[in-house]
């Protein structure tokens, strides 16, 4: 069985700059034993750009 965590990173419609460093977030989770499962775009702006992304991490639950 797996446990999942979600991190949302928003993106500016004008500059297309993300509000957080996604590479750093991935490195931080990896250091804690999580792996990046996938990412998903958030709903789009009128111009067609994504409003951000959601990083989805997974970690296998340990059996006790």
């Amino acid at each position: 069985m797996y446990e999942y965590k979600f991190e949302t990173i928003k993106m500016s419609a004008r500059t297309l700059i993300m509000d957080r460093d996604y590479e750093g977030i991935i490195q931080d989770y990896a250091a804690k034993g999580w792996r990046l499962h996938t990412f998903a775009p958030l709903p789009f702006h009128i111009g067609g750009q994504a409003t951000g992304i959601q990083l989805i991490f997974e970690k296998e639950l340990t059996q006790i």
Side-chain angles (χ1 to χ4, degrees):
M1 184 164 214
Y2 291 90
E3 176 181 3
Y4 294 89
K5 288 204 176 186
F6 304 86
E7 287 284 337
T8 299
I9 302 171
K10 297 195 183 217
M11 187 183 319
S12 167
R14 263 195 251 150
T15 63
L16 302 179
I17 295 174
M18 294 182 179
D19 69 347
R20 296 168 59 201
D21 173 29
Y22 69 91
E23 292 174 345
I25 293 169
I26 293 169
Q27 291 293 340
D28 289 344
Y29 271 87
K32 297 173 187 169
W34 292 86
R35 77 176 187 102
L36 179 64
H37 179 271
T38 192
F39 76 94
L42 296 176
F44 294 91
H45 292 288
I46 292 173
Q49 308 94 329
T51 58
I53 59 172
Q54 188 169 57
L55 302 175
I56 303 166
F57 296 91
E58 75 175 1
K59 183 177 183 180
E60 192 166 5
L61 292 173
T62 55
Q63 300 289 331
I64 297 178

